[in-house]
Amino acid sequence: MTAARPRTGRPPLTEQRKAEIRLEIARAAVDLFVEQGVTATTGEQIGQAVGVSARTVWRYFPSKESCVQPLFSAGIDVIAECLRHWRPGEPLEEIFDDGLLADHGPAQGPEHTTVDALVRLTRTEPGLRAVWLQTYDEAEPAFARALAERAGLPVDDLRPVIEAAMFNAALRAAVEHHAWHTTDPAPDATATRAGLQSALRTALEVVARGLA
């Protein structure tokens, strides 16, 4: 019986490390997009900023615009969990008052000011706009499942689907409103967070009231 040969080469990356690399690429792409624009930015530049090859960048992302997706989608699971544990009678806008949404919501990572600048770019960059809207499109089913579970409804019930759509649209509108009205290139981090939380609170209050 022949003994198994020892494995050579690099050990396989863990899922956690893959996620870390994706986030590193995302942050580098954002910095370059904000500094020099999307058109002028290449995959080679994004890779160099992280210390990897352009081939590695394309292994993780199909396009340079899609590199920012991890920052856009950060916190979807956290938000869904908040919805799942939303207590009856508790105002919708208060379930995020502990700061979870400001820290982890879509388009909001630790780099508040940088991501605000990125969201502003979605107004003029169609490729980034597509990634931005796709992120919310993918988040909506997660929110619908959480709301259905909270209400004890089947996952295919229309009511949580409609509620999730309203909630999702409110999140996007609030984040965009905040980003598009924050023009200072280096605002105070505390003020930035407070401004975002205020916009989100207003949006969720409107959702909770429903259509008049």
Side-chain angles (χ1 to χ4, degrees):
M1 182 176 180
T2 304
R5 293 182 179 180
R7 179 177 291 179
T8 59
R10 296 181 183 178
L13 295 175
T14 64
E15 291 304 312
Q16 179 179 351
R17 181 52 188 152
K18 289 179 181 178
E20 290 171 350
I21 293 174
R22 284 174 58 84
L23 189 57
E24 290 169 6
I25 292 173
R27 288 170 174 158
V30 169
D31 289 342
L32 288 166
F33 291 165
V34 171
E35 178 182 350
Q36 63 186 30
V38 176
T39 301
T41 299
T42 65
E44 287 76 12
Q45 290 175 326
I46 295 172
Q48 288 173 1
V50 180
V52 301
S53 66
R55 183 178 178 181
T56 298
V57 173
W58 304 137
R59 186 181 304 136
Y60 284 93
F61 300 99
S63 67
K64 60 183 177 182
E65 290 87 354
S66 66
C67 289
V68 303
Q69 194 273 339
L71 289 177
F72 280 161
S73 62
I76 289 174
D77 291 341
V78 175
I79 296 173
E81 192 67 13
C82 287
L83 289 174
R84 192 172 288 110
H85 293 92
W86 175 23
R87 295 185 300 273
E90 181 182 13
L92 176 60
E93 65 273 13
E94 290 185 6
I95 66 175
F96 301 111
D97 274 357
D98 57 3
L100 281 176
L101 194 54
D103 288 336
H104 302 288
Q108 295 302 316
E111 313 87 344
H112 290 282
T113 57
T114 299
V115 180
D116 278 344
L118 178 60
V119 173
R120 287 194 289 276
L121 280 178
T122 65
R123 301 182 80 174
T124 56
E125 295 288 347
L128 290 180
R129 185 70 181 172
V131 176
W132 171 246
L133 295 178
Q134 180 184 1
T135 301
Y136 279 88
D137 187 58
E138 294 174 352
E140 199 163 295
F143 298 157
R145 287 192 297 270
L147 289 167
E149 183 177 331
R150 171 185 180 268
L153 295 170
V155 293
D156 59 350
D157 191 286
L158 180 60
R159 286 166 290 182
V161 172
I162 298 299
E163 291 172 346
M166 294 172 61
F167 175 79
N168 202 29
L171 283 186
R172 181 174 62 81
V175 173
E176 288 180 346
H177 183 274
H178 168 73
W180 295 345
H181 289 79
T182 303
T183 57
D184 189 331
D188 176 76
T190 300
T192 298
R193 177 173 303 198
L196 174 63
Q197 287 179 318
S198 176
L200 288 165
R201 190 178 183 88
T202 297
L204 296 181
E205 287 173 350
V206 172
V207 171
R209 287 199 303 268
L211 298 176

